[in-house]
């Protein structure tokens, strides 16, 4: 029984380390993706105002290949983009 308890404990510690490592990886991926998306938004901010209008977002979706890929991966079409904009728009 003692051997089994030690084995279970070793596996539990290993799993905890794996979970922590995976969580760290996910956090890093999220930071990288936010950075990339921020750069895309700066490129499609045609008036340089620091905010995106719906028209800038829509034009960016049609002209910025990297942004279009992001939208496709997230399965967002122009109708979804309009709804998403309406949800996050502050004014």
């Amino acid at each position: 029984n003692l051997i089994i308890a030690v084995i279970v404990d070793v596996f539990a510690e290993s799993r905890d380390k794996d979970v922590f490592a995976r969580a760290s990886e996910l956090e890093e991926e999220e930071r990288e993706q936010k950075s990339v998306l921020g750069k895309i938004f700066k490129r499609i901010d045609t008036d340089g105002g620091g905010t995106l209008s719906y028209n800038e977002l829509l034009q960016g979706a049609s002209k910025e290949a990297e942004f279009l890929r992001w939208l496709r991966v997230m399965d967002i079409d122009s109708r979804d983009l309009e709804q998403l904009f309406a949800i996050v728009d502050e004014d």
Side-chain angles (χ1 to χ4, degrees):
N1 287 338
L2 181 58
I3 294 172
I4 292 173
V6 170
I7 292 172
V8 168
D9 190 45
V10 167
F11 280 121
E13 285 180 28
S14 177
R15 185 190 70 230
D16 288 344
K17 288 179 184 176
D18 287 345
V19 167
F20 179 76
R22 183 63 184 139
S24 295
E25 289 172 7
L26 289 173
E27 288 171 1
E28 179 61 27
E29 287 175 20
E30 182 180 351
R31 280 190 292 275
E32 289 173 9
Q33 291 173 354
K34 284 181 179 179
S35 174
V36 168
L37 201 51
K39 290 174 185 176
I40 292 170
F41 287 161
K42 283 183 182 180
R43 288 196 303 265
I44 64 176
D45 180 15
T46 55
D47 67 4
T51 59
L52 293 174
S53 68
Y54 176 68
N55 286 334
E56 287 173 321
L57 200 60
L58 196 56
Q59 288 176 5
S62 66
K63 294 180 181 178
E64 181 68 39
E66 190 174 12
F67 186 43
L68 186 56
R69 280 194 299 274
W70 274 75
L71 294 174
R72 284 185 182 151
V73 166
M74 294 184 293
D75 196 27
I76 296 176
D77 61 18
S78 60
R79 185 181 54 228
D80 296 330
L81 190 59
E82 184 177 6
Q83 291 175 347
L84 180 61
F85 185 81
I87 291 169
V88 298
D89 186 26
E90 293 180 352
D91 40 0

